Amino acid sequence: MSTYTTDKASPFTRAVVSSMRKLYPEALADQSFDNTGLLLEAPFDPIRRQMNSVLLTIDLTKAVADEAIERKDCVVVAYHPIIFRGFKSLTLSDCQQQSILRLALEGISVYSPHTAVDAAPGGLADWLADIVTGHLPSPEPATHTARPQNNSPETIEEDVESETKTAADQPGEATKKPQRPRMWMQRTYSKPTYPSHRPVDAGKTDLNPSSVDHTRAVINPVTGVEGFEGAGFGRLVTFDESQPLTHLVERIAHGVGSPKGFPLAIPQGKQVEDIQIRTVGVSAGSGHSVLKGVEADLLFTGELSHHEALAATEKGQCVITLFHSNSERGFLSSVLKEKLTEVLKEEWERIRNEVAEAEELTPEWEDAVKDEDVLVECSEQDRDPFGVVILQSSKQEGKPLS
């Protein structure tokens, strides 16, 4: 008769792993560096079992581990592997190892799909391509690079002239030399802001994905995985008709959670409003290894180094980056949550029947396999390390992008 054992994961964990492998086989991942699959297989204790629930996250931070423990999730699907290389020890002094040990103690397993999701047809690369080829309500908004308020030479001169007149109206003040406004004393900054990827916000965007006529091709194909023809890393989008860069900026903003801002690099001497885009190279995360050598008008990725972006603009290319994980996180709520829920319901039904037929079960095991519930949720604690700080209610220094 089955009792508590330290050599078996929970049957629900088996269903989650099987579901993820059906959607994103580990054979699709970049084997040269990646570490995908079941990274932590927690032993199953049917007496204090977890909920039949999965928590989706990009990064498995301490805050996300706390969230999973509080929610009593069974599995954390963390896009980025928390384990990349072998450990020589597991101690509580290391913050990542601490999270792993705490999750194991609570019976929570960890699965990481990483670059298998990047390469899969309909995966992360195609999701980003769907965004740049999406369409906003007609007519599409015309984005302009407005000059920061009170920053033009004319405005500064008006401020100086105004101060001079005010001084002249006061006895003994007319001979004083006008001073430029002390802008630094008026600055107010917001708290760091992050794109919105909460499940409640999913589906609220008015972007109609992949609705602009185009063709797309895989940049670095992956072959030999049955049923996953057309897999590979990166996508090269070619529009039937050139698109204004300003429209692509709007589409990307709507598609990735309406961030308050993101970096845009254009060749010197060009104006954003004048740039037309016919081809876009797309890659999630750190895009250089995929996008290097790609001849495209625009490179759209999570991050490029200073020198990589500089080399691109010197060649006449434009670059949009989002901060690394902001190019990935929206996929969880927009695509993965629904896909995994659908496949997991079928897999859990299959495994429940297998376990019930194969073994004589204790009452605790019977309760576990009788539980039909399946829940997949996105973490509310997961976010990129970088936020955007907004300068508010102040005269701004600097010059517009041109």
Side-chain angles (χ1 to χ4, degrees), residues 133-151:
T133 59
H135 198 281
L136 290 163
S138 183
E140 281 198 282
T143 300
H144 298 284
T145 52
R147 181 177 290 275
Q149 291 184 351
N150 300 326
N151 187 55

Side-chain angles (χ1 to χ4, degrees), residues 88-150:
K88 291 187 176 181
S89 63
L90 279 170
T91 69
L92 296 173
S93 61
D94 181 285
C95 59
Q96 288 188 319
Q97 294 176 15
Q98 181 185 112
S99 292
I100 292 169
L101 290 167
R102 292 175 61 228
L103 290 171
L105 180 65
E106 297 292 334
I108 302 174
S109 298
V110 178
Y111 185 92
S112 173
H114 202 200
T115 54
V117 176
D118 297 0
L124 194 43
D126 278 318
W127 175 68
L128 292 174
D130 288 345
I131 288 173
V132 296
T133 59
H135 198 281
L136 290 163
S138 183
E140 281 198 282
T143 300
H144 298 284
T145 52
R147 181 177 290 275
Q149 291 184 351
N150 300 326

Side-chain angles (χ1 to χ4, degrees), residues 146-347:
R147 181 177 290 275
Q149 291 184 351
N150 300 326
N151 187 55
S152 66
E154 294 81 2
T155 304
I156 291 178
E157 292 302 323
E158 289 174 3
D159 291 339
V160 173
E161 183 179 352
S162 174
E163 286 194 1
T164 304
K165 288 181 179 178
T166 302
D169 291 339
Q170 299 180 15
E173 296 292 330
T175 57
K176 283 191 175 181
K177 184 178 179 180
Q179 301 292 320
R180 285 187 177 272
R182 301 176 67 182
M183 297 180 183
W184 61 272
M185 294 186 66
Q186 304 171 21
R187 289 182 175 174
T188 303
Y189 291 91
S190 70
K191 294 180 179 179
T193 63
Y194 306 88
S196 174
H197 297 299
R198 288 188 175 188
V200 294
D201 295 319
K204 283 191 176 182
T205 178
D206 50 1
L207 179 72
N208 183 15
S210 195
S211 56
V212 176
D213 292 339
H214 70 283
T215 59
R216 69 178 70 173
V218 174
I219 295 174
N220 295 332
V222 173
T223 59
V225 183
E226 186 178 352
F228 287 82
E229 293 74 20
F233 299 101
R235 299 293 184 268
L236 179 62
V237 171
T238 302
F239 292 107
D240 290 4
E241 297 181 1
S242 295
Q243 305 286 304
L245 176 58
T246 55
H247 285 187
L248 299 189
V249 169
E250 284 285 347
R251 295 170 193 172
I252 289 168
H254 280 72
V256 301
S258 299
K260 296 297 184 182
F262 48 76
L264 167 64
I266 63 174
Q268 290 192 18
K270 298 286 188 179
Q271 299 287 339
V272 175
E273 289 86 355
D274 298 333
I275 296 176
Q276 296 287 316
I277 302 296
R278 183 70 185 276
T279 53
V280 185
V282 174
S283 178
S286 298
H288 177 66
S289 63
V290 174
L291 298 177
K292 62 183 178 182
V294 172
E295 298 297 329
D297 300 328
L298 171 66
L299 304 180
F300 172 37
T301 185
E303 63 181 350
L304 288 181
S305 73
H306 167 84
H307 294 289
E308 292 160 0
L310 185 61
T313 57
E314 289 290 284
K315 290 169 55 180
Q317 296 175 302
C318 301
V319 178
I320 290 178
T321 62
L322 300 175
F323 298 126
H324 186 113
S325 65
N326 289 343
S327 66
E328 303 157 339
R329 188 163 288 103
F331 178 82
L332 303 183
S333 57
S334 299
V335 179
L336 181 55
K337 178 181 175 181
E338 182 177 347
K339 279 190 172 183
L340 180 56
T341 300
E342 181 179 352
V343 175
L344 181 54
K345 286 180 178 178
E346 296 177 358
E347 284 299 292

